Amino acid sequence: MKLLHIADLHIGKRVNAFSMIEDQAHILKQILRMIDAEKPDGVLIAGDIYDRSQPPVEAVELLDTFLTELTASVRSVFMISGNHDSPERLSFGRRIMRKNGLHIAGVFAGVLQKVGLTDAHGAVNIYLLPFLKPAMAKPFFEQPIESYDEAVRAIISSAKIDERERNILLTHQFVVNGAWLPARSESESLSVGGLENVDLSAFAPFDYVAAGHLHKPQKIGRDTVRYAGSPLKYSFSEARHQKSAALLELGAKGDEIPVRLLPLIPLRDLREIKGPIAELLRIGREEASGAKDYIHATLTDEADIYDAIGQLRLVYPNLMTLDFENSRVGRVLSPGAAASDAIAEKSPLDLFAAFYQMQNNNELNPEQVRVMERIFARAAGGAEE
Ligand SMILES: [Mn+2]
């Protein structure tokens, strides 16, 4: 049995204010062509389907098109929610869609969902574990559940998995291997200090773990516990990643499971360039196709440059960020990065207001400002109330 594993589509995402929707449509089509060529029996989509819990219209339309074509060309599609998805919204129509081979686990309802498949070697069980926080598992168990690791272990052990059969898990968690931590990217939601870790050993009953959450394609410990990674580069920290989809081939129980990484080629690459402006403009004009890429440019000119962004955008229309590096200024950061330098000078309320604005496309209203002021005052040990 052949299965294709992808994850972290983040449909509807914007990167540095650029909409990725065209790039996502392109890469999802490429995945469909890959499926036509490889003819997998199933496709595993390991969470962060959308970039936000209330995705924009064009994102919903793109996912609709993708899933319609996907279910027309493979027998079974499995999809879980990630931390960016709304579990309830992603679950819409799941009982109807199941009839067409699309299995969605959005909301965790107390038991690990299982879908049984079979091939010439017998049963293959696909388990679907949507992203969850410890508090979402807690009500279903008697033992104390304080951490992500305890939550995942409790759910897996209560599933009574038959280890004589082949078992596959879809999960969207931060999997670590003892003290070894996986590679992170800036486009993932960052968390603080190890709270979210789930140790690899929790997944022992599974022959293959199709993970989502981390945007760099990578294995954790064994070859068969794997992050598919995002299909596109969503931050400059990923400029050197080779994005891919993972194709695994299941033989009999206990046989080695070969995993092939099928490269994904974006409509526009996302990359960093550095040098004097004349040089960068010359290269851009000579390589017309590369000039369409999403660019982070670093200019090394010693002299002042008039309207550097304007000049560069004539050749690189998708220039995303610009900074300067020369002996006079050392390293002067672009407006976006400069803003992050100023973080230390901002009040917690200003920072929260900026965050709220980014998340909701809406400013805090006066009532919300008052509530947040009280919370910050209390957190700071202020005497209010
Ligand atoms: Mn993600």
Short mmCIF file of all heavy atoms in Angstrom, two decimals, residues 185-244:
data_model
loop_
_atom_site.label_atom_id
_atom_site.label_comp_id
_atom_site.label_asym_id
_atom_site.label_seq_id
_atom_site.Cartn_x
_atom_site.Cartn_y
_atom_site.Cartn_z
N SER A 185 11.26 26.56 12.21
CA SER A 185 11.22 27.62 11.20
C SER A 185 10.44 28.79 11.78
O SER A 185 9.57 28.60 12.63
CB SER A 185 10.51 27.14 9.93
OG SER A 185 11.08 25.94 9.48
N GLU A 186 10.71 29.99 11.24
CA GLU A 186 10.05 31.17 11.78
C GLU A 186 8.56 31.25 11.46
O GLU A 186 7.84 32.02 12.08
CB GLU A 186 10.76 32.44 11.29
CG GLU A 186 12.00 32.75 12.10
CD GLU A 186 12.89 33.79 11.44
OE1 GLU A 186 12.42 34.47 10.52
OE2 GLU A 186 14.06 33.89 11.86
N SER A 187 8.11 30.48 10.46
CA SER A 187 6.69 30.57 10.10
C SER A 187 5.81 29.68 10.99
O SER A 187 4.61 29.67 10.86
CB SER A 187 6.49 30.20 8.64
OG SER A 187 6.96 28.89 8.38
N GLU A 188 6.42 28.90 11.88
CA GLU A 188 5.63 28.12 12.83
C GLU A 188 5.26 29.03 14.00
O GLU A 188 5.97 29.98 14.28
CB GLU A 188 6.46 26.94 13.36
CG GLU A 188 6.88 25.98 12.27
CD GLU A 188 8.18 25.26 12.61
OE1 GLU A 188 8.67 25.40 13.75
OE2 GLU A 188 8.73 24.60 11.71
N SER A 189 4.17 28.72 14.67
CA SER A 189 3.85 29.50 15.87
C SER A 189 4.84 29.10 16.94
O SER A 189 4.99 27.93 17.25
CB SER A 189 2.44 29.20 16.35
OG SER A 189 1.56 29.26 15.27
N LEU A 190 5.52 30.08 17.49
CA LEU A 190 6.54 29.74 18.48
C LEU A 190 5.92 29.52 19.85
O LEU A 190 4.89 30.08 20.18
CB LEU A 190 7.57 30.87 18.56
CG LEU A 190 8.34 31.10 17.27
CD1 LEU A 190 9.30 32.28 17.42
CD2 LEU A 190 9.10 29.86 16.87
N SER A 191 6.54 28.66 20.61
CA SER A 191 6.07 28.45 21.96
C SER A 191 7.25 28.58 22.89
O SER A 191 8.39 28.61 22.46
CB SER A 191 5.46 27.07 22.09
OG SER A 191 6.48 26.11 21.98
N VAL A 192 6.96 28.60 24.15
CA VAL A 192 8.02 28.85 25.11
C VAL A 192 8.41 27.57 25.84
O VAL A 192 7.55 26.86 26.33
CB VAL A 192 7.57 29.91 26.16
CG1 VAL A 192 8.76 30.42 26.95
CG2 VAL A 192 6.86 31.05 25.47
N GLY A 193 9.70 27.26 25.80
CA GLY A 193 10.35 26.34 26.70
C GLY A 193 9.80 24.95 26.93
O GLY A 193 9.57 24.57 28.07
N GLY A 194 9.60 24.14 25.89
CA GLY A 194 9.44 22.72 26.11
C GLY A 194 8.08 22.23 26.55
O GLY A 194 7.84 21.04 26.62
N LEU A 195 7.14 23.15 26.83
CA LEU A 195 5.82 22.73 27.31
C LEU A 195 5.11 21.79 26.34
O LEU A 195 4.37 20.92 26.73
CB LEU A 195 4.93 23.97 27.48
CG LEU A 195 5.16 24.81 28.70
CD1 LEU A 195 4.24 26.01 28.68
CD2 LEU A 195 4.94 23.96 29.95
N GLU A 196 5.33 22.02 25.05
CA GLU A 196 4.56 21.31 24.04
C GLU A 196 5.21 19.99 23.61
O GLU A 196 4.65 19.28 22.78
CB GLU A 196 4.38 22.20 22.80
CG GLU A 196 3.54 23.42 23.11
CD GLU A 196 3.30 24.30 21.89
OE1 GLU A 196 3.71 23.92 20.78
OE2 GLU A 196 2.71 25.36 22.06
N ASN A 197 6.37 19.68 24.15
CA ASN A 197 7.08 18.49 23.71
C ASN A 197 6.29 17.21 23.92
O ASN A 197 5.70 16.99 24.98
CB ASN A 197 8.40 18.33 24.48
CG ASN A 197 9.37 19.46 24.19
OD1 ASN A 197 9.02 20.41 23.49
ND2 ASN A 197 10.56 19.37 24.74
N VAL A 198 6.30 16.35 22.90
CA VAL A 198 5.81 14.99 23.04
C VAL A 198 6.97 14.09 22.64
O VAL A 198 7.51 14.23 21.54
CB VAL A 198 4.60 14.72 22.12
CG1 VAL A 198 4.15 13.27 22.24
CG2 VAL A 198 3.45 15.67 22.46
N ASP A 199 7.37 13.20 23.54
CA ASP A 199 8.54 12.39 23.22
C ASP A 199 8.18 11.30 22.22
O ASP A 199 7.10 10.71 22.25
CB ASP A 199 9.15 11.76 24.48
CG ASP A 199 10.53 11.18 24.17
OD1 ASP A 199 11.48 11.98 24.03
OD2 ASP A 199 10.64 9.95 23.99
N LEU A 200 9.14 11.06 21.34
CA LEU A 200 9.04 10.04 20.30
C LEU A 200 8.54 8.69 20.84
O LEU A 200 7.78 7.98 20.17
CB LEU A 200 10.45 9.87 19.70
CG LEU A 200 10.71 8.78 18.69
CD1 LEU A 200 9.90 9.03 17.44
CD2 LEU A 200 12.20 8.74 18.36
N SER A 201 8.95 8.34 22.05
CA SER A 201 8.60 7.02 22.60
C SER A 201 7.10 6.83 22.74
O SER A 201 6.60 5.70 22.80
CB SER A 201 9.29 6.83 23.96
OG SER A 201 8.91 7.88 24.84
N ALA A 202 6.34 7.95 22.78
CA ALA A 202 4.88 7.83 22.88
C ALA A 202 4.28 7.16 21.64
O ALA A 202 3.18 6.64 21.68
CB ALA A 202 4.25 9.22 23.06
N PHE A 203 5.05 7.17 20.54
CA PHE A 203 4.51 6.70 19.27
C PHE A 203 4.96 5.28 18.91
O PHE A 203 4.80 4.84 17.77
CB PHE A 203 4.89 7.67 18.15
CG PHE A 203 4.39 9.07 18.41
CD1 PHE A 203 5.26 10.11 18.75
CD2 PHE A 203 3.03 9.35 18.33
CE1 PHE A 203 4.79 11.40 19.00
CE2 PHE A 203 2.55 10.64 18.58
CZ PHE A 203 3.42 11.66 18.92
N ALA A 204 5.49 4.56 19.90
CA ALA A 204 6.03 3.22 19.66
C ALA A 204 5.05 2.27 18.95
O ALA A 204 5.47 1.47 18.12
CB ALA A 204 6.51 2.62 20.97
N PRO A 205 3.73 2.33 19.23
CA PRO A 205 2.84 1.36 18.58
C PRO A 205 2.65 1.57 17.07
O PRO A 205 2.00 0.75 16.43
CB PRO A 205 1.50 1.56 19.29
CG PRO A 205 1.78 2.35 20.51
CD PRO A 205 3.01 3.14 20.22
N PHE A 206 3.19 2.65 16.52
CA PHE A 206 2.88 2.97 15.13
C PHE A 206 4.03 2.65 14.18
O PHE A 206 5.18 2.96 14.46
CB PHE A 206 2.48 4.44 14.99
CG PHE A 206 1.27 4.77 15.82
CD1 PHE A 206 1.39 5.38 17.05
CD2 PHE A 206 0.00 4.42 15.37
CE1 PHE A 206 0.27 5.65 17.82
CE2 PHE A 206 -1.12 4.68 16.14
CZ PHE A 206 -0.99 5.29 17.37
N ASP A 207 3.67 2.06 13.06
CA ASP A 207 4.67 1.72 12.04
C ASP A 207 5.11 2.98 11.29
O ASP A 207 6.25 3.06 10.85
CB ASP A 207 4.07 0.72 11.05
CG ASP A 207 3.67 -0.56 11.76
OD1 ASP A 207 4.52 -1.45 11.87
OD2 ASP A 207 2.52 -0.65 12.25
N TYR A 208 4.18 3.93 11.14
CA TYR A 208 4.55 5.21 10.52
C TYR A 208 3.76 6.30 11.22
O TYR A 208 2.57 6.14 11.49
CB TYR A 208 4.22 5.20 9.02
CG TYR A 208 4.69 6.46 8.31
CD1 TYR A 208 5.97 6.57 7.79
CD2 TYR A 208 3.83 7.57 8.17
CE1 TYR A 208 6.41 7.73 7.14
CE2 TYR A 208 4.27 8.74 7.53
CZ TYR A 208 5.56 8.81 7.02
OH TYR A 208 5.98 9.96 6.38
N VAL A 209 4.43 7.40 11.53
CA VAL A 209 3.76 8.56 12.12
C VAL A 209 3.86 9.71 11.13
O VAL A 209 4.95 10.18 10.80
CB VAL A 209 4.40 8.96 13.47
CG1 VAL A 209 3.73 10.21 14.03
CG2 VAL A 209 4.27 7.80 14.47
N ALA A 210 2.68 10.11 10.62
CA ALA A 210 2.61 11.22 9.66
C ALA A 210 2.35 12.49 10.46
O ALA A 210 1.22 12.75 10.86
CB ALA A 210 1.48 10.97 8.66
N ALA A 211 3.43 13.25 10.70
CA ALA A 211 3.30 14.41 11.58
C ALA A 211 3.20 15.71 10.78
O ALA A 211 3.70 15.82 9.67
CB ALA A 211 4.49 14.47 12.54
N GLY A 212 2.54 16.65 11.41
CA GLY A 212 2.51 18.03 10.92
C GLY A 212 2.87 18.93 12.08
O GLY A 212 2.83 18.50 13.24
N HIS A 213 3.23 20.17 11.80
CA HIS A 213 3.51 21.21 12.79
C HIS A 213 4.80 21.92 12.43
O HIS A 213 4.86 23.13 12.41
CB HIS A 213 3.61 20.67 14.22
CG HIS A 213 3.40 21.73 15.28
ND1 HIS A 213 2.62 22.84 15.07
CD2 HIS A 213 3.87 21.85 16.56
CE1 HIS A 213 2.63 23.59 16.19
NE2 HIS A 213 3.37 23.02 17.09
N LEU A 214 5.87 21.14 12.16
CA LEU A 214 7.14 21.76 11.81
C LEU A 214 7.22 21.89 10.29
O LEU A 214 6.80 21.00 9.56
CB LEU A 214 8.30 20.92 12.34
CG LEU A 214 8.27 20.74 13.87
CD1 LEU A 214 9.48 19.98 14.34
CD2 LEU A 214 8.17 22.10 14.57
N HIS A 215 7.78 23.00 9.83
CA HIS A 215 7.69 23.31 8.41
C HIS A 215 8.88 22.83 7.60
O HIS A 215 8.89 22.90 6.38
CB HIS A 215 7.47 24.82 8.23
CG HIS A 215 6.09 25.24 8.67
ND1 HIS A 215 5.63 26.52 8.59
CD2 HIS A 215 5.07 24.50 9.20
CE1 HIS A 215 4.38 26.57 9.05
NE2 HIS A 215 4.04 25.35 9.43
N LYS A 216 9.90 22.33 8.26
CA LYS A 216 11.01 21.72 7.53
C LYS A 216 10.77 20.21 7.43
O LYS A 216 10.53 19.56 8.45
CB LYS A 216 12.32 21.97 8.27
CG LYS A 216 13.51 21.38 7.55
CD LYS A 216 14.80 21.57 8.32
CE LYS A 216 15.92 21.00 7.46
NZ LYS A 216 17.21 21.51 7.80
N PRO A 217 10.83 19.64 6.22
CA PRO A 217 10.68 18.19 6.12
C PRO A 217 11.80 17.51 6.92
O PRO A 217 12.96 17.83 6.74
CB PRO A 217 10.86 17.90 4.61
CG PRO A 217 10.70 19.22 3.93
CD PRO A 217 11.11 20.27 4.92
N GLN A 218 11.44 16.61 7.82
CA GLN A 218 12.48 15.96 8.64
C GLN A 218 11.91 14.74 9.34
O GLN A 218 10.72 14.65 9.59
CB GLN A 218 13.04 16.94 9.68
CG GLN A 218 11.99 17.52 10.63
CD GLN A 218 12.52 18.71 11.44
OE1 GLN A 218 13.48 18.59 12.18
NE2 GLN A 218 11.87 19.86 11.28
N LYS A 219 12.84 13.81 9.65
CA LYS A 219 12.42 12.65 10.44
C LYS A 219 12.82 12.91 11.88
O LYS A 219 13.74 13.67 12.16
CB LYS A 219 13.07 11.39 9.91
CG LYS A 219 14.57 11.42 9.98
CD LYS A 219 15.16 10.09 9.56
CE LYS A 219 16.66 10.11 9.86
NZ LYS A 219 17.32 8.85 9.65
N ILE A 220 12.12 12.24 12.80
CA ILE A 220 12.44 12.37 14.22
C ILE A 220 12.87 11.00 14.71
O ILE A 220 12.04 10.09 14.83
CB ILE A 220 11.23 12.86 15.03
CG1 ILE A 220 10.64 14.15 14.45
CG2 ILE A 220 11.62 13.05 16.51
CD1 ILE A 220 11.54 15.36 14.49
N GLY A 221 14.16 10.84 14.95
CA GLY A 221 14.65 9.53 15.40
C GLY A 221 14.62 8.53 14.26
O GLY A 221 15.47 8.54 13.39
N ARG A 222 13.59 7.72 14.22
CA ARG A 222 13.54 6.73 13.14
C ARG A 222 13.01 7.34 11.85
O ARG A 222 12.37 8.40 11.86
CB ARG A 222 12.72 5.51 13.57
CG ARG A 222 11.30 5.81 14.03
CD ARG A 222 10.63 4.50 14.50
NE ARG A 222 9.49 4.74 15.36
CZ ARG A 222 8.23 4.42 15.02
NH1 ARG A 222 7.96 3.89 13.85
NH2 ARG A 222 7.24 4.64 15.87
N ASP A 223 13.26 6.63 10.75
CA ASP A 223 12.88 7.09 9.41
C ASP A 223 11.38 7.23 9.25
O ASP A 223 10.90 7.92 8.35
CB ASP A 223 13.38 6.03 8.42
CG ASP A 223 14.18 6.67 7.31
OD1 ASP A 223 14.63 7.82 7.51
OD2 ASP A 223 14.31 6.04 6.25
N THR A 224 10.63 6.57 10.10
CA THR A 224 9.19 6.44 9.91
C THR A 224 8.38 7.29 10.90
O THR A 224 7.20 7.06 11.08
CB THR A 224 8.79 4.95 10.05
OG1 THR A 224 9.44 4.44 11.22
CG2 THR A 224 9.22 4.16 8.84
N VAL A 225 9.06 8.23 11.55
CA VAL A 225 8.33 9.27 12.30
C VAL A 225 8.78 10.56 11.64
O VAL A 225 9.95 10.95 11.72
CB VAL A 225 8.69 9.28 13.79
CG1 VAL A 225 7.98 10.43 14.51
CG2 VAL A 225 8.31 7.94 14.43
N ARG A 226 7.86 11.20 10.96
CA ARG A 226 8.30 12.18 9.98
C ARG A 226 7.38 13.39 9.91
O ARG A 226 6.16 13.27 10.02
CB ARG A 226 8.32 11.47 8.62
CG ARG A 226 8.98 12.22 7.51
CD ARG A 226 9.16 11.31 6.31
NE ARG A 226 10.34 10.47 6.41
CZ ARG A 226 11.58 10.89 6.21
NH1 ARG A 226 11.80 12.15 5.90
NH2 ARG A 226 12.59 10.06 6.31
N TYR A 227 8.01 14.56 9.75
CA TYR A 227 7.27 15.77 9.38
C TYR A 227 7.36 15.92 7.87
O TYR A 227 8.46 15.94 7.32
CB TYR A 227 7.89 17.01 10.05
CG TYR A 227 7.55 17.12 11.51
CD1 TYR A 227 8.43 16.69 12.50
CD2 TYR A 227 6.32 17.63 11.90
CE1 TYR A 227 8.10 16.78 13.84
CE2 TYR A 227 5.97 17.71 13.25
CZ TYR A 227 6.87 17.29 14.20
OH TYR A 227 6.54 17.36 15.53
N ALA A 228 6.19 16.04 7.22
CA ALA A 228 6.21 16.26 5.77
C ALA A 228 6.75 17.66 5.47
O ALA A 228 7.35 17.89 4.43
CB ALA A 228 4.80 16.11 5.20
N GLY A 229 6.53 18.59 6.40
CA GLY A 229 6.92 19.99 6.16
C GLY A 229 5.87 20.70 5.35
O GLY A 229 4.99 20.08 4.75
N SER A 230 5.95 22.03 5.34
CA SER A 230 5.00 22.80 4.53
C SER A 230 5.38 22.65 3.06
O SER A 230 6.54 22.46 2.74
CB SER A 230 5.05 24.27 4.95
OG SER A 230 6.37 24.77 4.83
N PRO A 231 4.38 22.73 2.15
CA PRO A 231 4.71 22.56 0.73
C PRO A 231 5.40 23.77 0.12
O PRO A 231 5.95 23.68 -0.97
CB PRO A 231 3.33 22.33 0.08
CG PRO A 231 2.35 22.95 1.02
CD PRO A 231 2.94 22.84 2.39
N LEU A 232 5.35 24.91 0.84
CA LEU A 232 6.00 26.13 0.35
C LEU A 232 6.83 26.73 1.48
O LEU A 232 6.57 26.47 2.65
CB LEU A 232 4.93 27.16 -0.07
CG LEU A 232 4.10 26.84 -1.31
CD1 LEU A 232 2.89 27.78 -1.38
CD2 LEU A 232 4.93 26.96 -2.58
N LYS A 233 7.79 27.57 1.10
CA LYS A 233 8.56 28.30 2.10
C LYS A 233 7.72 29.47 2.59
O LYS A 233 7.31 30.30 1.79
CB LYS A 233 9.86 28.82 1.48
CG LYS A 233 10.75 27.74 0.90
CD LYS A 233 11.91 28.37 0.14
CE LYS A 233 12.74 27.29 -0.55
NZ LYS A 233 13.85 27.90 -1.33
N TYR A 234 7.48 29.51 3.88
CA TYR A 234 6.62 30.57 4.42
C TYR A 234 7.39 31.59 5.25
O TYR A 234 6.80 32.43 5.92
CB TYR A 234 5.49 29.94 5.26
CG TYR A 234 4.43 29.23 4.42
CD1 TYR A 234 3.89 28.01 4.82
CD2 TYR A 234 3.95 29.80 3.24
CE1 TYR A 234 2.90 27.37 4.07
CE2 TYR A 234 2.97 29.18 2.49
CZ TYR A 234 2.45 27.96 2.90
OH TYR A 234 1.47 27.35 2.16
N SER A 235 8.73 31.50 5.27
CA SER A 235 9.54 32.51 5.94
C SER A 235 10.95 32.43 5.35
O SER A 235 11.31 31.41 4.74
CB SER A 235 9.59 32.26 7.45
OG SER A 235 10.33 31.07 7.72
N PHE A 236 11.75 33.51 5.54
CA PHE A 236 13.11 33.48 5.00
C PHE A 236 14.01 32.51 5.76
O PHE A 236 15.05 32.12 5.26
CB PHE A 236 13.69 34.89 4.93
CG PHE A 236 13.11 35.67 3.78
CD1 PHE A 236 12.17 36.66 4.00
CD2 PHE A 236 13.46 35.36 2.47
CE1 PHE A 236 11.59 37.34 2.93
CE2 PHE A 236 12.89 36.04 1.40
CZ PHE A 236 11.96 37.02 1.62
N SER A 237 13.58 32.09 6.94
CA SER A 237 14.37 31.07 7.65
C SER A 237 14.31 29.73 6.90
O SER A 237 15.09 28.83 7.15
CB SER A 237 13.87 30.89 9.09
OG SER A 237 12.60 30.25 9.10
N GLU A 238 13.36 29.64 5.94
CA GLU A 238 13.21 28.40 5.16
C GLU A 238 13.83 28.51 3.77
O GLU A 238 13.65 27.62 2.94
CB GLU A 238 11.71 28.06 5.04
CG GLU A 238 11.06 27.75 6.38
CD GLU A 238 9.55 27.96 6.36
OE1 GLU A 238 8.85 27.21 5.68
OE2 GLU A 238 9.07 28.90 7.05
N ALA A 239 14.54 29.63 3.50
CA ALA A 239 15.05 29.89 2.15
C ALA A 239 15.85 28.70 1.60
O ALA A 239 15.83 28.44 0.42
CB ALA A 239 15.89 31.17 2.13
N ARG A 240 16.55 28.00 2.47
CA ARG A 240 17.37 26.88 2.00
C ARG A 240 16.70 25.51 2.11
O ARG A 240 17.32 24.48 1.86
CB ARG A 240 18.70 26.85 2.77
CG ARG A 240 19.65 27.93 2.31
CD ARG A 240 20.79 28.11 3.30
NE ARG A 240 21.18 29.51 3.37
CZ ARG A 240 21.96 30.12 2.47
NH1 ARG A 240 22.47 29.45 1.48
NH2 ARG A 240 22.25 31.40 2.59
N HIS A 241 15.45 25.48 2.52
CA HIS A 241 14.75 24.19 2.58
C HIS A 241 14.47 23.65 1.18
O HIS A 241 14.22 24.43 0.27
CB HIS A 241 13.38 24.32 3.26
CG HIS A 241 13.45 24.57 4.73
ND1 HIS A 241 12.32 24.63 5.52
CD2 HIS A 241 14.50 24.79 5.56
CE1 HIS A 241 12.68 24.87 6.77
NE2 HIS A 241 13.99 24.97 6.83
N GLN A 242 14.48 22.35 1.02
CA GLN A 242 13.89 21.72 -0.16
C GLN A 242 12.56 21.13 0.29
O GLN A 242 12.53 20.15 1.03
CB GLN A 242 14.80 20.63 -0.73
CG GLN A 242 14.15 19.80 -1.84
CD GLN A 242 13.71 20.64 -3.06
OE1 GLN A 242 14.54 21.26 -3.72
NE2 GLN A 242 12.40 20.67 -3.33
N LYS A 243 11.47 21.75 -0.12
CA LYS A 243 10.15 21.25 0.29
C LYS A 243 9.81 19.99 -0.49
O LYS A 243 10.23 19.83 -1.64
CB LYS A 243 9.09 22.32 0.07
CG LYS A 243 9.36 23.61 0.82
CD LYS A 243 9.37 23.42 2.34
CE LYS A 243 9.45 24.76 3.06
NZ LYS A 243 9.41 24.61 4.52
N SER A 244 9.02 19.11 0.13
CA SER A 244 8.71 17.83 -0.51
C SER A 244 7.45 17.22 0.06
O SER A 244 6.93 17.67 1.08
CB SER A 244 9.89 16.86 -0.30
OG SER A 244 10.16 16.69 1.07
#
